[in-house]
Amino acid sequence: GAGVSQSPSNKVTEKGKDVELRCDPISGHTALYWYRQRLGQGLEFLIYFQGNSAPDKSGLPSDRFSAERTGESVSTLTIQRTQQEDSAVYLCASSFRLAAYEQYFGPGTRLTVT
Amino acid sequence: SQKIEQNSEALNIQEGKTATLTCNYTNYSPAYLQWYRQDPGRGPVFLLLIRENEKEKRKERLKVTFDTTLKQSLFHITASQPADSATYLCALPYGSSNTGKLIFGQGTTLQVKP
């Protein structure tokens, strides 16, 4: 079956512009996660969604970052007024449910803010 | 807060040898620990999960150990092959095991030379 897909694969934007990143999780996976990976660094947790529960937004670095998820399907991560330090690969993952289950990652969106 | 330490220096070994990668954590002992493989330009791929009550887990040529006294996990690849060359990430849950939120180490890059 299809894995986690993300779009776009690459995004170059000017400082101050808003960007929207999309994630399509694996069908049937109730949990969805967003991570950020800066060059040469580990993954940094941003936010997760589990079913219809309120999302855990504790990893979002500032109020310029927000995310939504429609039911148990598509999620979008929005970054407003982008800054150069937002340049990174944004990875989405899904899992069958929370906790103790492996996460399946998409290929990521490489965001470059010029 | 929990911190994960993985050797940031690349590990270079000869084909056929056993590669051993280390993951140390500094704070509370997690309920489980995961290992992922990441190839350049791609999202991480889940390899193994080991729970706190398991000392060792194996999957084909992979072996993971978990020592809660030493606060350390070792990841072994036996009979290594050039195709095993990648970055290997260790991941732990934040606090409670029920959230699914993971903290990732920055990874260790393995190079297997033919």
Side-chain angles (χ1 to χ4, degrees), chain A residues 20-49:
Chain A
E20 195 171 273
L21 312 179
R22 177 187 169 108
C23 172
D24 283 88
I26 293 171
S27 178
H29 280 193
T30 60
L32 184 147
Y33 313 81
W34 283 98
Y35 295 89
R36 175 170 72 178
Q37 187 173 31
R38 292 197 167 108
L39 188 64
Q41 301 296 312
L43 280 69
E44 175 188 3
F45 167 80
L46 298 177
I47 186 171
Y48 81 79
F49 299 86

PDB file of all heavy atoms in Angstrom, chain A residues 20-49:
ATOM      1  N   GLU A  20       2.731  26.593   3.187  1.00  0.00           N
ATOM      2  CA  GLU A  20       1.864  25.517   3.668  1.00  0.00           C
ATOM      3  C   GLU A  20       2.424  24.190   3.176  1.00  0.00           C
ATOM      4  O   GLU A  20       2.657  24.007   1.975  1.00  0.00           O
ATOM      5  CB  GLU A  20       0.447  25.732   3.128  1.00  0.00           C
ATOM      6  CG  GLU A  20      -0.616  24.927   3.816  1.00  0.00           C
ATOM      7  CD  GLU A  20      -2.013  25.344   3.383  1.00  0.00           C
ATOM      8  OE1 GLU A  20      -2.564  26.283   3.986  1.00  0.00           O
ATOM      9  OE2 GLU A  20      -2.542  24.723   2.437  1.00  0.00           O
ATOM     10  N   LEU A  21       2.637  23.285   4.105  1.00  0.00           N
ATOM     11  CA  LEU A  21       3.186  21.972   3.783  1.00  0.00           C
ATOM     12  C   LEU A  21       2.110  20.926   4.044  1.00  0.00           C
ATOM     13  O   LEU A  21       1.387  21.000   5.042  1.00  0.00           O
ATOM     14  CB  LEU A  21       4.430  21.690   4.653  1.00  0.00           C
ATOM     15  CG  LEU A  21       5.461  22.809   4.726  1.00  0.00           C
ATOM     16  CD1 LEU A  21       6.617  22.381   5.637  1.00  0.00           C
ATOM     17  CD2 LEU A  21       5.964  23.200   3.365  1.00  0.00           C
ATOM     18  N   ARG A  22       2.072  19.917   3.175  1.00  0.00           N
ATOM     19  CA  ARG A  22       0.983  18.944   3.253  1.00  0.00           C
ATOM     20  C   ARG A  22       1.508  17.548   3.561  1.00  0.00           C
ATOM     21  O   ARG A  22       2.585  17.176   3.091  1.00  0.00           O
ATOM     22  CB  ARG A  22       0.225  18.926   1.931  1.00  0.00           C
ATOM     23  CG  ARG A  22      -0.898  17.898   1.850  1.00  0.00           C
ATOM     24  CD  ARG A  22      -1.489  17.830   0.454  1.00  0.00           C
ATOM     25  NE  ARG A  22      -2.378  16.687   0.308  1.00  0.00           N
ATOM     26  CZ  ARG A  22      -3.698  16.784   0.219  1.00  0.00           C
ATOM     27  NH1 ARG A  22      -4.304  17.967   0.250  1.00  0.00           N
ATOM     28  NH2 ARG A  22      -4.435  15.692   0.073  1.00  0.00           N
ATOM     29  N   CYS A  23       0.721  16.795   4.309  1.00  0.00           N
ATOM     30  CA  CYS A  23       1.070  15.415   4.638  1.00  0.00           C
ATOM     31  C   CYS A  23      -0.157  14.523   4.469  1.00  0.00           C
ATOM     32  O   CYS A  23      -1.229  14.816   5.024  1.00  0.00           O
ATOM     33  CB  CYS A  23       1.586  15.320   6.079  1.00  0.00           C
ATOM     34  SG  CYS A  23       1.822  13.627   6.666  1.00  0.00           S
ATOM     35  N   ASP A  24       0.019  13.421   3.734  1.00  0.00           N
ATOM     36  CA  ASP A  24      -1.018  12.403   3.613  1.00  0.00           C
ATOM     37  C   ASP A  24      -0.544  11.158   4.340  1.00  0.00           C
ATOM     38  O   ASP A  24       0.393  10.497   3.871  1.00  0.00           O
ATOM     39  CB  ASP A  24      -1.282  12.065   2.138  1.00  0.00           C
ATOM     40  CG  ASP A  24      -2.111  13.115   1.451  1.00  0.00           C
ATOM     41  OD1 ASP A  24      -1.521  14.082   0.923  1.00  0.00           O
ATOM     42  OD2 ASP A  24      -3.338  12.968   1.470  1.00  0.00           O
ATOM     43  N   PRO A  25      -1.131  10.824   5.472  1.00  0.00           N
ATOM     44  CA  PRO A  25      -0.656   9.664   6.238  1.00  0.00           C
ATOM     45  C   PRO A  25      -1.128   8.357   5.618  1.00  0.00           C
ATOM     46  O   PRO A  25      -1.926   8.347   4.679  1.00  0.00           O
ATOM     47  CB  PRO A  25      -1.308   9.881   7.602  1.00  0.00           C
ATOM     48  CG  PRO A  25      -2.597  10.571   7.275  1.00  0.00           C
ATOM     49  CD  PRO A  25      -2.272  11.479   6.115  1.00  0.00           C
ATOM     50  N   ILE A  26      -0.634   7.274   6.179  1.00  0.00           N
ATOM     51  CA  ILE A  26      -1.083   5.961   5.753  1.00  0.00           C
ATOM     52  C   ILE A  26      -2.531   5.766   6.197  1.00  0.00           C
ATOM     53  O   ILE A  26      -2.884   6.103   7.340  1.00  0.00           O
ATOM     54  CB  ILE A  26      -0.181   4.862   6.339  1.00  0.00           C
ATOM     55  CG1 ILE A  26       1.228   4.973   5.725  1.00  0.00           C
ATOM     56  CG2 ILE A  26      -0.758   3.478   6.116  1.00  0.00           C
ATOM     57  CD1 ILE A  26       2.258   4.079   6.371  1.00  0.00           C
ATOM     58  N   SER A  27      -3.351   5.235   5.309  1.00  0.00           N
ATOM     59  CA  SER A  27      -4.757   5.035   5.626  1.00  0.00           C
ATOM     60  C   SER A  27      -4.907   4.128   6.848  1.00  0.00           C
ATOM     61  O   SER A  27      -4.258   3.078   6.942  1.00  0.00           O
ATOM     62  CB  SER A  27      -5.469   4.401   4.421  1.00  0.00           C
ATOM     63  OG  SER A  27      -6.808   4.150   4.716  1.00  0.00           O
ATOM     64  N   GLY A  28      -5.735   4.563   7.777  1.00  0.00           N
ATOM     65  CA  GLY A  28      -5.955   3.764   8.979  1.00  0.00           C
ATOM     66  C   GLY A  28      -5.066   4.148  10.146  1.00  0.00           C
ATOM     67  O   GLY A  28      -5.292   3.709  11.277  1.00  0.00           O
ATOM     68  N   HIS A  29      -4.070   4.954   9.887  1.00  0.00           N
ATOM     69  CA  HIS A  29      -3.205   5.422  10.973  1.00  0.00           C
ATOM     70  C   HIS A  29      -3.872   6.601  11.672  1.00  0.00           C
ATOM     71  O   HIS A  29      -4.156   7.627  11.048  1.00  0.00           O
ATOM     72  CB  HIS A  29      -1.843   5.835  10.425  1.00  0.00           C
ATOM     73  CG  HIS A  29      -0.939   4.685  10.170  1.00  0.00           C
ATOM     74  ND1 HIS A  29       0.410   4.845   9.929  1.00  0.00           N
ATOM     75  CD2 HIS A  29      -1.174   3.349  10.141  1.00  0.00           C
ATOM     76  CE1 HIS A  29       0.957   3.646   9.757  1.00  0.00           C
ATOM     77  NE2 HIS A  29       0.022   2.736   9.874  1.00  0.00           N
ATOM     78  N   THR A  30      -4.082   6.445  12.980  1.00  0.00           N
ATOM     79  CA  THR A  30      -4.803   7.487  13.704  1.00  0.00           C
ATOM     80  C   THR A  30      -3.881   8.581  14.230  1.00  0.00           C
ATOM     81  O   THR A  30      -4.322   9.677  14.514  1.00  0.00           O
ATOM     82  CB  THR A  30      -5.571   6.885  14.889  1.00  0.00           C
ATOM     83  OG1 THR A  30      -4.641   6.251  15.764  1.00  0.00           O
ATOM     84  CG2 THR A  30      -6.590   5.852  14.412  1.00  0.00           C
ATOM     85  N   ALA A  31      -2.608   8.276  14.384  1.00  0.00           N
ATOM     86  CA  ALA A  31      -1.669   9.263  14.926  1.00  0.00           C
ATOM     87  C   ALA A  31      -0.821   9.857  13.804  1.00  0.00           C
ATOM     88  O   ALA A  31      -0.383   9.135  12.903  1.00  0.00           O
ATOM     89  CB  ALA A  31      -0.767   8.623  15.976  1.00  0.00           C
ATOM     90  N   LEU A  32      -0.608  11.152  13.875  1.00  0.00           N
ATOM     91  CA  LEU A  32       0.188  11.851  12.864  1.00  0.00           C
ATOM     92  C   LEU A  32       1.105  12.831  13.566  1.00  0.00           C
ATOM     93  O   LEU A  32       0.690  13.533  14.489  1.00  0.00           O
ATOM     94  CB  LEU A  32      -0.733  12.586  11.886  1.00  0.00           C
ATOM     95  CG  LEU A  32      -0.071  13.291  10.690  1.00  0.00           C
ATOM     96  CD1 LEU A  32      -1.000  13.250   9.479  1.00  0.00           C
ATOM     97  CD2 LEU A  32       0.326  14.701  11.013  1.00  0.00           C
ATOM     98  N   TYR A  33       2.350  12.875  13.136  1.00  0.00           N
ATOM     99  CA  TYR A  33       3.378  13.691  13.777  1.00  0.00           C
ATOM    100  C   TYR A  33       4.067  14.572  12.742  1.00  0.00           C
ATOM    101  O   TYR A  33       4.266  14.161  11.607  1.00  0.00           O
ATOM    102  CB  TYR A  33       4.448  12.805  14.420  1.00  0.00           C
ATOM    103  CG  TYR A  33       3.928  11.662  15.257  1.00  0.00           C
ATOM    104  CD1 TYR A  33       3.513  10.477  14.655  1.00  0.00           C
ATOM    105  CD2 TYR A  33       3.868  11.758  16.652  1.00  0.00           C
ATOM    106  CE1 TYR A  33       3.043   9.427  15.414  1.00  0.00           C
ATOM    107  CE2 TYR A  33       3.401  10.702  17.408  1.00  0.00           C
ATOM    108  CZ  TYR A  33       2.984   9.541  16.786  1.00  0.00           C
ATOM    109  OH  TYR A  33       2.518   8.500  17.538  1.00  0.00           O
ATOM    110  N   TRP A  34       4.480  15.741  13.182  1.00  0.00           N
ATOM    111  CA  TRP A  34       5.350  16.607  12.388  1.00  0.00           C
ATOM    112  C   TRP A  34       6.657  16.797  13.141  1.00  0.00           C
ATOM    113  O   TRP A  34       6.657  17.040  14.358  1.00  0.00           O
ATOM    114  CB  TRP A  34       4.719  17.973  12.153  1.00  0.00           C
ATOM    115  CG  TRP A  34       3.651  18.008  11.107  1.00  0.00           C
ATOM    116  CD1 TRP A  34       2.293  17.964  11.296  1.00  0.00           C
ATOM    117  CD2 TRP A  34       3.830  18.143   9.692  1.00  0.00           C
ATOM    118  NE1 TRP A  34       1.623  18.042  10.105  1.00  0.00           N
ATOM    119  CE2 TRP A  34       2.553  18.154   9.106  1.00  0.00           C
ATOM    120  CE3 TRP A  34       4.950  18.252   8.869  1.00  0.00           C
ATOM    121  CZ2 TRP A  34       2.359  18.274   7.730  1.00  0.00           C
ATOM    122  CZ3 TRP A  34       4.760  18.376   7.501  1.00  0.00           C
ATOM    123  CH2 TRP A  34       3.471  18.391   6.943  1.00  0.00           C
ATOM    124  N   TYR A  35       7.757  16.717  12.384  1.00  0.00           N
ATOM    125  CA  TYR A  35       9.090  16.946  12.921  1.00  0.00           C
ATOM    126  C   TYR A  35       9.830  17.919  12.004  1.00  0.00           C
ATOM    127  O   TYR A  35       9.511  18.055  10.823  1.00  0.00           O
ATOM    128  CB  TYR A  35       9.909  15.647  12.980  1.00  0.00           C
ATOM    129  CG  TYR A  35       9.389  14.594  13.919  1.00  0.00           C
ATOM    130  CD1 TYR A  35       8.469  13.647  13.482  1.00  0.00           C
ATOM    131  CD2 TYR A  35       9.835  14.527  15.239  1.00  0.00           C
ATOM    132  CE1 TYR A  35       7.997  12.667  14.334  1.00  0.00           C
ATOM    133  CE2 TYR A  35       9.374  13.535  16.106  1.00  0.00           C
ATOM    134  CZ  TYR A  35       8.461  12.624  15.633  1.00  0.00           C
ATOM    135  OH  TYR A  35       7.999  11.650  16.480  1.00  0.00           O
ATOM    136  N   ARG A  36      10.840  18.540  12.564  1.00  0.00           N
ATOM    137  CA  ARG A  36      11.721  19.393  11.774  1.00  0.00           C
ATOM    138  C   ARG A  36      13.139  18.853  11.919  1.00  0.00           C
ATOM    139  O   ARG A  36      13.548  18.465  13.029  1.00  0.00           O
ATOM    140  CB  ARG A  36      11.645  20.838  12.284  1.00  0.00           C
ATOM    141  CG  ARG A  36      12.595  21.795  11.613  1.00  0.00           C
ATOM    142  CD  ARG A  36      12.292  23.230  11.984  1.00  0.00           C
ATOM    143  NE  ARG A  36      12.648  23.572  13.347  1.00  0.00           N
ATOM    144  CZ  ARG A  36      12.500  24.783  13.862  1.00  0.00           C
ATOM    145  NH1 ARG A  36      11.980  25.758  13.128  1.00  0.00           N
ATOM    146  NH2 ARG A  36      12.837  25.024  15.114  1.00  0.00           N
ATOM    147  N   GLN A  37      13.866  18.833  10.821  1.00  0.00           N
ATOM    148  CA  GLN A  37      15.261  18.368  10.869  1.00  0.00           C
ATOM    149  C   GLN A  37      16.143  19.390  10.192  1.00  0.00           C
ATOM    150  O   GLN A  37      16.085  19.571   8.966  1.00  0.00           O
ATOM    151  CB  GLN A  37      15.406  16.999  10.186  1.00  0.00           C
ATOM    152  CG  GLN A  37      16.787  16.397  10.344  1.00  0.00           C
ATOM    153  CD  GLN A  37      16.869  14.983   9.818  1.00  0.00           C
ATOM    154  OE1 GLN A  37      16.173  14.610   8.868  1.00  0.00           O
ATOM    155  NE2 GLN A  37      17.702  14.156  10.437  1.00  0.00           N
ATOM    156  N   ARG A  38      16.942  20.038  10.983  1.00  0.00           N
ATOM    157  CA  ARG A  38      17.915  20.984  10.448  1.00  0.00           C
ATOM    158  C   ARG A  38      19.120  20.200   9.960  1.00  0.00           C
ATOM    159  O   ARG A  38      19.386  19.081  10.401  1.00  0.00           O
ATOM    160  CB  ARG A  38      18.305  22.015  11.493  1.00  0.00           C
ATOM    161  CG  ARG A  38      17.162  22.965  11.838  1.00  0.00           C
ATOM    162  CD  ARG A  38      17.707  24.190  12.544  1.00  0.00           C
ATOM    163  NE  ARG A  38      16.716  25.252  12.611  1.00  0.00           N
ATOM    164  CZ  ARG A  38      16.099  25.600  13.728  1.00  0.00           C
ATOM    165  NH1 ARG A  38      16.356  24.979  14.854  1.00  0.00           N
ATOM    166  NH2 ARG A  38      15.238  26.592  13.718  1.00  0.00           N
ATOM    167  N   LEU A  39      19.880  20.789   9.088  1.00  0.00           N
ATOM    168  CA  LEU A  39      21.010  20.113   8.458  1.00  0.00           C
ATOM    169  C   LEU A  39      21.953  19.538   9.503  1.00  0.00           C
ATOM    170  O   LEU A  39      22.419  20.252  10.398  1.00  0.00           O
ATOM    171  CB  LEU A  39      21.761  21.100   7.552  1.00  0.00           C
ATOM    172  CG  LEU A  39      22.853  20.511   6.666  1.00  0.00           C
ATOM    173  CD1 LEU A  39      22.232  19.534   5.674  1.00  0.00           C
ATOM    174  CD2 LEU A  39      23.600  21.615   5.928  1.00  0.00           C
ATOM    175  N   GLY A  40      22.204  18.239   9.412  1.00  0.00           N
ATOM    176  CA  GLY A  40      23.155  17.593  10.311  1.00  0.00           C
ATOM    177  C   GLY A  40      22.646  17.386  11.725  1.00  0.00           C
ATOM    178  O   GLY A  40      23.419  17.001  12.608  1.00  0.00           O
ATOM    179  N   GLN A  41      21.350  17.630  11.925  1.00  0.00           N
ATOM    180  CA  GLN A  41      20.793  17.514  13.265  1.00  0.00           C
ATOM    181  C   GLN A  41      19.785  16.371  13.349  1.00  0.00           C
ATOM    182  O   GLN A  41      19.357  15.822  12.325  1.00  0.00           O
ATOM    183  CB  GLN A  41      20.092  18.818  13.662  1.00  0.00           C
ATOM    184  CG  GLN A  41      21.001  20.028  13.645  1.00  0.00           C
ATOM    185  CD  GLN A  41      22.118  19.920  14.660  1.00  0.00           C
ATOM    186  OE1 GLN A  41      21.875  19.594  15.831  1.00  0.00           O
ATOM    187  NE2 GLN A  41      23.345  20.171  14.236  1.00  0.00           N
ATOM    188  N   GLY A  42      19.405  16.059  14.548  1.00  0.00           N
ATOM    189  CA  GLY A  42      18.363  15.065  14.745  1.00  0.00           C
ATOM    190  C   GLY A  42      16.997  15.678  14.484  1.00  0.00           C
ATOM    191  O   GLY A  42      16.861  16.857  14.192  1.00  0.00           O
ATOM    192  N   LEU A  43      15.972  14.863  14.605  1.00  0.00           N
ATOM    193  CA  LEU A  43      14.607  15.338  14.392  1.00  0.00           C
ATOM    194  C   LEU A  43      14.108  16.057  15.634  1.00  0.00           C
ATOM    195  O   LEU A  43      14.319  15.615  16.752  1.00  0.00           O
ATOM    196  CB  LEU A  43      13.680  14.157  14.096  1.00  0.00           C
ATOM    197  CG  LEU A  43      13.701  13.630  12.665  1.00  0.00           C
ATOM    198  CD1 LEU A  43      15.007  12.954  12.345  1.00  0.00           C
ATOM    199  CD2 LEU A  43      12.525  12.698  12.443  1.00  0.00           C
ATOM    200  N   GLU A  44      13.408  17.145  15.394  1.00  0.00           N
ATOM    201  CA  GLU A  44      12.844  17.968  16.459  1.00  0.00           C
ATOM    202  C   GLU A  44      11.323  17.869  16.384  1.00  0.00           C
ATOM    203  O   GLU A  44      10.724  18.239  15.370  1.00  0.00           O
ATOM    204  CB  GLU A  44      13.317  19.405  16.247  1.00  0.00           C
ATOM    205  CG  GLU A  44      12.749  20.428  17.193  1.00  0.00           C
ATOM    206  CD  GLU A  44      13.123  21.848  16.762  1.00  0.00           C
ATOM    207  OE1 GLU A  44      13.768  22.011  15.698  1.00  0.00           O
ATOM    208  OE2 GLU A  44      12.743  22.794  17.464  1.00  0.00           O
ATOM    209  N   PHE A  45      10.722  17.363  17.452  1.00  0.00           N
ATOM    210  CA  PHE A  45       9.266  17.208  17.477  1.00  0.00           C
ATOM    211  C   PHE A  45       8.579  18.568  17.404  1.00  0.00           C
ATOM    212  O   PHE A  45       8.971  19.510  18.072  1.00  0.00           O
ATOM    213  CB  PHE A  45       8.850  16.482  18.760  1.00  0.00           C
ATOM    214  CG  PHE A  45       7.382  16.534  19.051  1.00  0.00           C
ATOM    215  CD1 PHE A  45       6.506  15.687  18.406  1.00  0.00           C
ATOM    216  CD2 PHE A  45       6.877  17.457  19.952  1.00  0.00           C
ATOM    217  CE1 PHE A  45       5.143  15.746  18.660  1.00  0.00           C
ATOM    218  CE2 PHE A  45       5.512  17.525  20.221  1.00  0.00           C
ATOM    219  CZ  PHE A  45       4.656  16.663  19.574  1.00  0.00           C
ATOM    220  N   LEU A  46       7.521  18.644  16.603  1.00  0.00           N
ATOM    221  CA  LEU A  46       6.741  19.878  16.490  1.00  0.00           C
ATOM    222  C   LEU A  46       5.342  19.717  17.067  1.00  0.00           C
ATOM    223  O   LEU A  46       4.927  20.456  17.959  1.00  0.00           O
ATOM    224  CB  LEU A  46       6.640  20.323  15.030  1.00  0.00           C
ATOM    225  CG  LEU A  46       7.957  20.674  14.322  1.00  0.00           C
ATOM    226  CD1 LEU A  46       7.694  21.018  12.873  1.00  0.00           C
ATOM    227  CD2 LEU A  46       8.657  21.815  15.038  1.00  0.00           C
ATOM    228  N   ILE A  47       4.578  18.747  16.556  1.00  0.00           N
ATOM    229  CA  ILE A  47       3.178  18.611  16.933  1.00  0.00           C
ATOM    230  C   ILE A  47       2.711  17.202  16.594  1.00  0.00           C
ATOM    231  O   ILE A  47       3.264  16.571  15.688  1.00  0.00           O
ATOM    232  CB  ILE A  47       2.311  19.656  16.189  1.00  0.00           C
ATOM    233  CG1 ILE A  47       0.847  19.645  16.656  1.00  0.00           C
ATOM    234  CG2 ILE A  47       2.384  19.459  14.685  1.00  0.00           C
ATOM    235  CD1 ILE A  47       0.022  20.813  16.101  1.00  0.00           C
ATOM    236  N   TYR A  48       1.724  16.694  17.362  1.00  0.00           N
ATOM    237  CA  TYR A  48       1.100  15.453  16.926  1.00  0.00           C
ATOM    238  C   TYR A  48      -0.405  15.506  17.100  1.00  0.00           C
ATOM    239  O   TYR A  48      -0.936  16.240  17.930  1.00  0.00           O
ATOM    240  CB  TYR A  48       1.707  14.232  17.613  1.00  0.00           C
ATOM    241  CG  TYR A  48       1.210  13.923  19.005  1.00  0.00           C
ATOM    242  CD1 TYR A  48      -0.008  13.281  19.235  1.00  0.00           C
ATOM    243  CD2 TYR A  48       2.004  14.233  20.099  1.00  0.00           C
ATOM    244  CE1 TYR A  48      -0.435  12.990  20.509  1.00  0.00           C
ATOM    245  CE2 TYR A  48       1.587  13.944  21.381  1.00  0.00           C
ATOM    246  CZ  TYR A  48       0.370  13.320  21.587  1.00  0.00           C
ATOM    247  OH  TYR A  48      -0.047  13.041  22.860  1.00  0.00           O
ATOM    248  N   PHE A  49      -1.075  14.699  16.299  1.00  0.00           N
ATOM    249  CA  PHE A  49      -2.519  14.552  16.308  1.00  0.00           C
ATOM    250  C   PHE A  49      -2.844  13.083  16.585  1.00  0.00           C
ATOM    251  O   PHE A  49      -2.184  12.193  16.068  1.00  0.00           O
ATOM    252  CB  PHE A  49      -3.127  14.914  14.939  1.00  0.00           C
ATOM    253  CG  PHE A  49      -2.890  16.325  14.510  1.00  0.00           C
ATOM    254  CD1 PHE A  49      -1.720  16.677  13.834  1.00  0.00           C
ATOM    255  CD2 PHE A  49      -3.827  17.318  14.765  1.00  0.00           C
ATOM    256  CE1 PHE A  49      -1.502  17.980  13.426  1.00  0.00           C
ATOM    257  CE2 PHE A  49      -3.615  18.624  14.359  1.00  0.00           C
ATOM    258  CZ  PHE A  49      -2.443  18.950  13.692  1.00  0.00           C
TER     259      PHE A  49
END
